[in-house]
């Protein structure tokens, strides 16, 4: 099942950009009261919305695979974000471009772009920029099966994350680090990571409790990874319970197809390890059915790999 765990990185990567942007929330941005605000406040509110539109547009291009358009538009978008002091969108746009190079197998360009982000962030003393650079570097090295380097940079990314920002990207980085550790069978490190991650969840989920879609996604991601840890360590009862909880929170997140693909992928793996092959085939049938609904072929490749394990 080793190849099964390595290829799952692609499955989760497909969700990174769309989920990160779907739960994005600006922090520290002036909004003002449109009835009595000054011209400066109105202008600031206008550009707060405009730069968010830029980052959403780049995210859309990322999800649809339009690298050329990303390369063409990103420099101007970044410049306008800088001009209007939106460092969140500035580094989000830059990070998406660098991350897209990873998934297009353009590793040299991805690493070079991430190093430029790092240099820029060091110059500006910006923790979010360093987080973005290290996350891209960690993903790039992990995708090339250079897991020690990938783990190193993902841990550096987590250490740099500024806690005044929306934590969606942080949750995704914990997930990526979990996958890297699981691929290397580092069960002790996975256990420690789960404790650290749980402490973060306990701190942030109450803050965003009113947003059931966002917190549903976060809980789904955490519990799916917890189930994978229990499956890896042969605690099948705990794994089943974690998957049931993940399914509950997934329903809170609105049943996105990629979440469902991931859920059934985990159930296939658990049934396989339990040698319950009829259940594994049943879950894989559902996984294949769902994967066909996703434009990104990576989900279908994972589902088909489950079939031939």
């Amino acid at each position: 099942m080793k190849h099964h765990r390595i290829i799952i990185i692609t499955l989760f990567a497909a969700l990174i950009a769309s989920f990160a942007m779907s739960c994005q929330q600006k922090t520290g941005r002036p909004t003002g009261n449109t009835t009595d605000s000054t011209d400066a406040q109105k202008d600031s509110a206008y550009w707060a919305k405009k730069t968010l539109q830029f980052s959403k547009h780049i995210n859309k291009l990322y999800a649809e695979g339009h690298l050329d358009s990303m390369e063409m538009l990103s420099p101007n978008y970044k410049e306008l974000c800088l001009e209007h002091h939106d460092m969140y969108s500035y580094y989000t746009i830059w990070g998406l471009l660098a991350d897209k190079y990873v998934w297009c197998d353009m590793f040299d360009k991805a690493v070079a772009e991430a190093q430029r982000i790092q240099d820029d962030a060091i110059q500006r003393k910006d923790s979010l920029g360093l987080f973005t650079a290290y996350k891209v570097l960690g993903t790039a090295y992990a995708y090339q099966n250079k897991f020690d380097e990938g783990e190193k940079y993902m841990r550096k990314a987590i250490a740099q994350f500024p806690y005044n920002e929306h934590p969606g990207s942080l949750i995704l980085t914990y997930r990526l680090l979990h996958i890297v550790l699981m691929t290397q069978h580092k069960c002790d490190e996975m256990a420690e990571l789960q404790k650290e991650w749980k402490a973060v969840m306990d701190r942030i989920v109450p803050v965003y409790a009113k947003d059931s879609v966002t917190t549903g996604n976060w809980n789904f991601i955490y519990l799916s990874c917890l189930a994978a840890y229990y499956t890896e360590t042969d605690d099948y009862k705990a794994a089943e319970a974690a998957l049931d909880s993940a399914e509950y929170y997934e329903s809170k997140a609105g049943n996105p197809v990629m979440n469902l693909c991931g859920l059934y992928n985990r159930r296939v793996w658990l049934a396989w390890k339990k040698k319950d092959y009829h259940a594994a085939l049943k879950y894989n049938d559902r996984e294949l059915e769902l994967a066909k609904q996703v434009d990104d072929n990576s989900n279908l490749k994972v589902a088909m790999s489950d079939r031939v394990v």
Side-chain angles (χ1 to χ4, degrees), residues 144-173:
Q144 297 177 80
N145 291 351
K146 297 178 180 178
F147 297 117
D148 288 341
E149 284 294 292
E151 178 183 344
K152 179 182 76 174
Y153 280 108
M154 287 177 192
R155 290 190 184 279
K156 290 181 72 172
I158 289 170
Q160 283 292 332
F161 188 80
Y163 281 93
N164 61 318
E165 294 289 358
H166 189 279
S169 293
L170 177 63
I171 297 298
L172 294 166
T173 307

Side-chain angles (χ1 to χ4, degrees), residues 5-34:
R5 288 190 291 274
I6 294 175
I7 200 170
I8 208 170
I9 294 177
T10 305
L11 169 70
F12 283 118
L15 185 57
I16 290 175
S18 57
F19 172 70
M21 289 300 298
S22 70
C23 67
Q24 176 172 293
Q25 174 178 315
K26 296 291 184 178
T27 56
R29 301 299 304 273
T31 55
N33 186 321
T34 55

